[in-house]
Amino acid sequence: MVGQYKENISQTSILDMLRAANGESPALSGVGRCACTYRDLLRLVELSAEKLRAAGVKPGNRIALVMPNGPENASAFLSIASACVCAPLNPAYRREEFEFYLADLGASAVVIESGMDSPARDAARALGIVTIDLLPSGVAAGLFDLAIPVEITRKSDHSVDADVAMLLHTSGTTSKPKIVPLTRANLLASGRNIHRALRLSPADRCLNVMPLFHIHGICGAFLSSLSAGGEVVCTPGFVAPSFFAWMDAFSPTWYTAVPTMHQAILSRSGANREVIARRPLRFIRSSSAALAPSLMAAMENAFGTPVIESYGMTEAAHQMASNELPPSKRKPGSVGRAAGPRVAIMNGQGALLGPGAIGEVVIRGDNVTRGYASNPAANEAAFCNGWLRTGDQGRMDDEGFLYLTGRLKELINRGGEKISPREIDEVLLEHPAVAQAVAFGIPDPALGEVVGAAIVLKGGAAATPRTIREFASLHLADFKVPQHVVVLDEIPKGPTGKIQRIGLAQRLGIESVA
């Protein structure tokens, strides 16, 4: 019957996951497109994988995927990942960036939407890499054909295990990006972890606004929904003015996003109260960056539904911990309890710490990568006694709730005092005029670093750097008060909407306050 779903914990492949759902249920839909069913999607993935294999693709081959956000991006990912290794890339890259990533991946081919004028075509041609055109069917969302011009004979210079399904680069804010291999088992485990944490069912419909070249979009929205037999609405990406129109058109039960996106949506919620009342959400999920308790409270007040903060990273195929839905306990300011892998706190000597102690967050489990590709030095630094170091600092309370206190590399070192920029963010966001805030380190010849902050004001609100500093001084120790505050129309963000603190002072032209 429609909506029926039979969970199979022993699912070992993407095809098994699709077969577990009711074949007539909708799987993928898109703006202006009718939905394709699970039966349609299963058939597409089987045929596309078979076509790739017939063209010479082997399990270890790496195929890059350069597509705009949308249902064909999602279904192409499943198809490639079923046959070999899929490497989704940001379609906004320039030619030089494509050349770097394609070469670094050792790509055998690149799949690009037909008619898409992408610099990836020139980059692939320069590297002698086959370009495969993807032709959307124009009928149901997600359906397509592949135009493979020649047999794919190029092999990767690097080797990966045959069960690897996806490669993603880390952000690389402080060094050359590392390549994270994720197996089919990693991805399927993550999808199950998220759908269980959120109690997803075939009745759920996710409005996906996250990019599908990012682990949050791939696992947090897409695979979690398919794992539960639910539906995913693949939008063209995050377009804040269109969000409520999409919400009205598709009647989703939930969406997941980063805090900067939630803030943009919140700013438009007052003018869309009728849509919110007409299309109530079961919950809202937030991940990939810290969610300020004040923003969480404002979102819950505007939407009348719980906001669930979770914690993820690429190396864990996204989710590591999550708060739970009511009536289970949630703790604002916490990223919840372990929700899939084991989570612990470790000191610098490799010993695990008890409740309340601050140290590095470490993880291990079925969704965690086995190590970076072709990078023994990075693996030596990243793993300790079988645990993966996340690079995040935090503590766990006696109920197992995890509180993050900052990125170890982002901590501001002011004359030996280690300052968590998140703590400053949360104070500044309490100011009635502040909509967004991000604290960061500014180079200082005497102290090493001092605290800076960038803020965006709420519409119609007024505040000066001086009044912001005065407000901060009422709630923070003197050495934590930002010495330099800049008011911006928009805070610079990375391609996935995350704010990148490292190097922010330089990007804003603040080299020193001395």
Side-chain angles (χ1 to χ4, degrees), residues 53-75:
R53 285 191 290 267
V57 171
K58 302 294 189 296
N61 286 155
R62 304 173 177 193
I63 295 183
L65 179 62
V66 180
M67 294 279 293
N69 244 38
E72 286 74 32
N73 188 326
S75 56

Side-chain angles (χ1 to χ4, degrees), residues 427 468-478 481-482:
V427 167
I468 294 297
R469 292 187 71 252
E470 289 173 349
F471 176 84
S473 69
L474 299 175
H475 305 276
L476 294 168
D478 288 346
V481 175

